[in-house]
Amino acid sequence: MPMLFWIIACALVALIAALFALAVLRRGRGGVSAGAYDMQVYRDQLREVERDIERGVLPVEQAKQVRLEISRKMLEADRMAQGPAADGPAPIWAGWVGVACVLGTLLAAFGLYSVLGAPGYGDQPIAARYAFADKLYANRPTQEEAEAARPAAPSRAAPQPEMISLMKQLREAVARKPGDVQGLTLLAQYEMRLGNYVAGHRAQSKLIAAKGDTATAQDYTDLGEYLTVAANDIITRDAEAAFAKALDRDPDDERARYYIGLMMAQNGRPDRAFQIWDQVLRNSAPDAQWVPVIRENIPTLAWLAGQGNYTLPPSTAKVVTVNDVMRAMRAPMPQAREAILRDGLETLGQRLGAQGGPPQDWAVMIAGTQLLGETDRATGIYGEAQVVFSTQADALALVQAAYEGRWPVADSTAPAPDQAQIDAAADMTPQDRDAMIRGMVDGLVDRLRSDGGSPEEWGRAVASLATLGDSTQATALLIQGRAALAEDATGLATLNAAATAAGITP
């Protein structure tokens, strides 16, 4: 087929070139002048007038006027014919120059096609492309194959011995209570954060099984995401099934729809992927972690889908906040951190550069940049902040804490149970104790997990959960508290002491 294409193309090019060259070389050669040609036309017109008179279709008086007008034109044409020739034969060199230009243009076209085109590439009708996409879709690797082919993860800092011990306790606690929804939730999250992706998605599967019919769309989307991460970002059949179940429960789950679009792109259907991602981009919150990924890749996807005039909707990304930094710290992989932080940090950086800002904004900028792994840039921002706040001790302490990884620390004044309340609760009946402590503890635990807190608050929450008999949550919260206070030796000692006193061994 490719050879036949070239034969036909060369034949057509040669024919066009020959006709063009013939026209150039014969221009004016052996032809009559314009004046002589006009005389011949006018003679024919006079003969036509005579025939019209004979047929009776032209009155004699009107025929006289017509003859007079034609005769006047004939005189003018005869005068022009007797004058110097206006258009003689074209010079030989001009003809050959024209031929050379035609041949040069054709050769340049062939050369350009050999560089930018795809010589030898077979036809790709739409049916064949759809068939190829179906083949890609059907022959995807299984979850096990994708996990086995996943490249080795880059070296990362080994967890501290205390963290290893706490994770062991959490796993053992879940093993003793395999239907504990809260324990399975925490186990899945922490396994993913530690890079144990297979263990993470297995724990999430057990969580969904424990929940049964009450499993939410978010539960299934989390499972699909964990499976995708474990499969080196390939959307396997298992992951697709999880996303499909999420969309059955919530058709507006934009995270699940994002991954379905990614699956379409991976399997040769950029047209469907573009349609899905365009809708997801327009319907998602500006700070959704998948929005930066879509904005970066959808222009190329639009081109592949035949949408050459596609225009990105304007970005409404907000400035990054303390909560965003905390959320990025809990993200299971660097790509997720970048998706959470990148656009907001750029907006915040532009604002700080143009008009400055409070020390909290500088701390956010420093901590967020470090989370992205841009240590040199973070050092530069920290140096700039030191100059800006050189006379403000509190501000310097805040930006220094951010630079040294000891920030953010929540300064919320939300009520929390004190030690006296905890001690008193130990002497109550289980029902009264649970009623008194649970309301105070739940709010504190939620705030600590989302925004962090002081070492005393972490210790108080761990002790409260232990007093309630919820050792699984207490152990999990202790793990998170140790991670949040990893660079604060004094805070760690406070937390460990509170946990030990409550019977939770760090």
Side-chain angles (χ1 to χ4, degrees):
M1 185 64 70
M3 181 58 69
L4 179 61
F5 164 77
W6 282 109
I7 292 173
I8 296 175
C10 291
L12 290 174
V13 168
L15 178 61
I16 294 171
L19 292 175
F20 186 84
L22 183 63
V24 171
L25 293 175
R26 294 185 59 184
R27 179 177 177 270
R29 188 174 297 173
V32 297
S33 65
Y37 178 79
D38 290 344
M39 289 288 292
Q40 184 63 43
V41 171
Y42 296 144
R43 291 191 187 97
D44 291 340
Q45 289 179 349
L46 286 174
R47 285 192 289 270
E48 186 66 27
V49 170
E50 295 298 332
R51 286 193 292 270
D52 288 344
I53 293 174
E54 292 175 1
R55 292 195 300 268
V57 297
L58 184 65
V60 176
E61 292 299 325
Q62 187 175 353
K64 289 181 181 180
Q65 294 179 1
V66 173
R67 287 196 195 100
L68 182 62
E69 181 63 27
I70 294 174
S71 298
R72 187 163 51 248
K73 292 181 179 180
M74 290 180 66
L75 290 175
E76 180 63 24
D78 183 64
R79 185 184 63 79
M80 292 179 60
Q82 299 302 323
D87 54 347
I92 295 298
W93 64 267
W96 285 113
V97 168
V99 172
C101 289
V102 172
L103 293 177
T105 301
L106 295 174
L107 290 175
F110 276 106
L112 190 63
Y113 176 74
S114 66
V115 175
L116 301 180
Y121 206 67
D123 292 339
Q124 283 197 325
I126 192 69
R129 279 181 281 169
Y130 285 169
F132 179 70
D134 291 341
K135 184 177 180 180
L136 284 177
Y137 177 78
N139 294 326
R140 285 176 294 171
T142 65
Q143 185 69 32
E144 293 74 16
E145 290 171 345
E147 290 173 2
R150 179 184 176 86
S155 59
R156 54 193 299 173
Q160 297 179 354
E162 295 86 352
M163 179 66 70
I164 296 175
S165 175
L166 290 171
M167 281 300 299
K168 181 180 178 181
Q169 293 180 41
L170 179 57
R171 291 168 184 144
E172 290 174 350
V174 171
R176 288 193 300 269
K177 299 173 62 177
D180 182 3
V181 170
Q182 184 63 36
L184 287 168
T185 301
L186 296 171
L187 181 61
Q189 293 173 355
Y190 279 106
E191 294 287 18
M192 293 300 295
R193 292 175 193 174
L194 291 174
N196 303 326
Y197 302 134
V198 175
H201 74 66
R202 287 176 179 171
Q204 186 68 18
S205 296
K206 293 178 182 178
L207 169 65
I208 291 175
K211 285 189 172 184
D213 293 339
T214 63
T216 64
Q218 181 177 341
D219 293 329
Y220 279 102
T221 301
D222 286 342
L223 174 60
E225 186 173 69
Y226 295 170
L227 288 165
T228 301
V229 173
N232 197 29
D233 295 334
I234 296 173
I235 312 295
T236 63
R237 291 181 181 84
D238 293 346
E240 181 188 2
F243 294 130
K245 290 179 180 178
L247 291 172
D248 284 342
R249 286 160 173 76
D250 180 9
D252 296 326
D253 187 333
E254 302 301 340
R255 182 163 56 119
R257 297 180 69 228
Y258 158 75
Y259 279 109
I260 293 296
L262 178 61
M263 181 193 70
M264 294 295 179
Q266 290 178 349
N267 292 284
R269 292 304 304 266
D271 52 332
R272 290 185 177 177
F274 167 73
Q275 292 176 357
I276 294 172
W277 274 15
D278 183 54
Q279 293 176 1
V280 171
L281 181 60
R282 297 176 189 279
N283 295 337
S284 298
D287 59 343
Q289 66 183 39
W290 53 87
V291 166
V293 180
I294 293 179
R295 293 188 68 85
E296 181 179 355
N297 293 282
I298 199 170
T300 300
L301 199 62
W303 183 83
L304 292 173
Q307 303 291 331
N309 297 323
Y310 176 73
T311 302
L312 272 171
S315 175
T316 56
K318 67 175 184 178
V319 175
V320 70
T321 65
V322 176
N323 287 337
D324 295 325
V325 174
M326 292 294 294
R327 189 155 57 98
M329 290 173 66
R330 297 191 298 272
M333 51 186 173
Q335 297 93 322
R337 293 179 181 178
E338 182 167 354
I340 293 170
L341 294 174
R342 177 67 69 186
D343 284 354
L345 283 179
E346 291 302 323
T347 304
L348 178 59
Q350 292 172 4
R351 193 181 74 184
L352 291 177
Q355 61 190 51
Q360 289 80 8
D361 286 350
W362 286 88
V364 167
M365 191 72 192
I366 293 168
T369 304
Q370 285 186 327
L371 283 174
L372 293 179
E374 300 175 359
T375 54
D376 291 342
R377 184 184 179 196
T379 301
I381 297 171
Y382 174 51
E384 203 174 334
Q386 286 180 306
V387 174
V388 172
F389 301 110
S390 58
T391 60
Q392 303 177 39
D394 291 343
L396 283 175
L398 181 63
V399 296
Q400 182 178 356
Y403 181 67
E404 295 176 354
R406 297 182 287 106
W407 184 90
V409 176
D411 56 359
S412 171
T413 58
D418 57 26
Q419 191 60 45
Q421 291 170 317
I422 294 173
D423 293 340
D427 298 328
M428 293 181 178
T429 64
Q431 295 80 5
D432 292 340
R433 179 184 63 194
D434 185 74
M436 186 192 83
I437 297 179
R438 180 62 65 178
M440 295 184 290
V441 171
D442 287 346
L444 174 61
V445 170
D446 290 343
R447 177 168 61 80
L448 290 174
R449 283 179 175 149
S450 63
D451 300 330
S454 68
E456 292 76 15
E457 288 176 322
W458 283 104
R460 198 172 300 154
V462 170
S464 299
L465 290 171
T467 302
L468 289 171
D470 196 344
S471 59
T472 300
Q473 283 203 63
T475 301
L477 190 66
L478 178 57
I479 293 173
Q480 187 170 353
R482 290 187 60 83
L485 303 172
E487 303 297 329
D488 184 358
T490 302
L492 276 177
T494 301
L495 174 59
N496 289 336
T500 300
I504 306 297
T505 305

